[in-house]
Amino acid sequence: MPPYMMYHTHSFAGPIMMIGLWVIQLLLVFLIYRDAKEQKMLAPVWTILGILPFFGYLTDLLYLIIREIRAPRAIVNPPASL
């Protein structure tokens, strides 16, 4: 057996990190969906774009930028606690 293969161990860091990033992305997509629905934006479109594997985090950043740039919608029925 070649010397470089003698001490090879299987690392689970890669799959665990991938699953962790995927869970974080799903949480972000859920939060963006709720906010987009509240802001009267196209919530299903932002959800689909956010779930895409490569473009998910880029979509999250784009959503935050667009959300801050666009004019805020007036709240029709403000909550009584305000």
Side-chain angles (χ1 to χ4, degrees):
M1 180 177 290
Y4 62 87
M5 292 183 72
M6 288 177 57
Y7 300 107
H8 184 270
T9 59
H10 295 286
S11 173
F12 293 106
I16 289 174
M17 188 168 148
M18 183 180 69
I19 291 170
L21 289 173
W22 185 67
V23 168
I24 290 170
Q25 182 61 32
L26 287 178
L27 176 66
L28 288 173
V29 167
F30 172 72
L31 293 173
I32 285 177
Y33 173 78
R34 279 191 358 191
D35 188 62
K37 198 164 136 182
E38 185 178 298
Q39 297 290 327
K40 306 285 191 242
M41 296 171 75
L42 298 172
V45 173
W46 287 108
T47 303
I48 291 170
L49 291 174
I51 291 176
L52 293 175
F54 179 72
F55 298 107
Y57 289 109
L58 296 175
T59 301
D60 297 345
L61 289 173
L62 183 65
Y63 174 78
L64 289 175
I65 292 169
I66 290 174
R67 183 182 184 274
E68 291 299 319
I69 290 176
R70 69 189 284 270
R73 299 269 176 136
I75 299 175
V76 177
N77 295 322
S81 62
L82 290 176

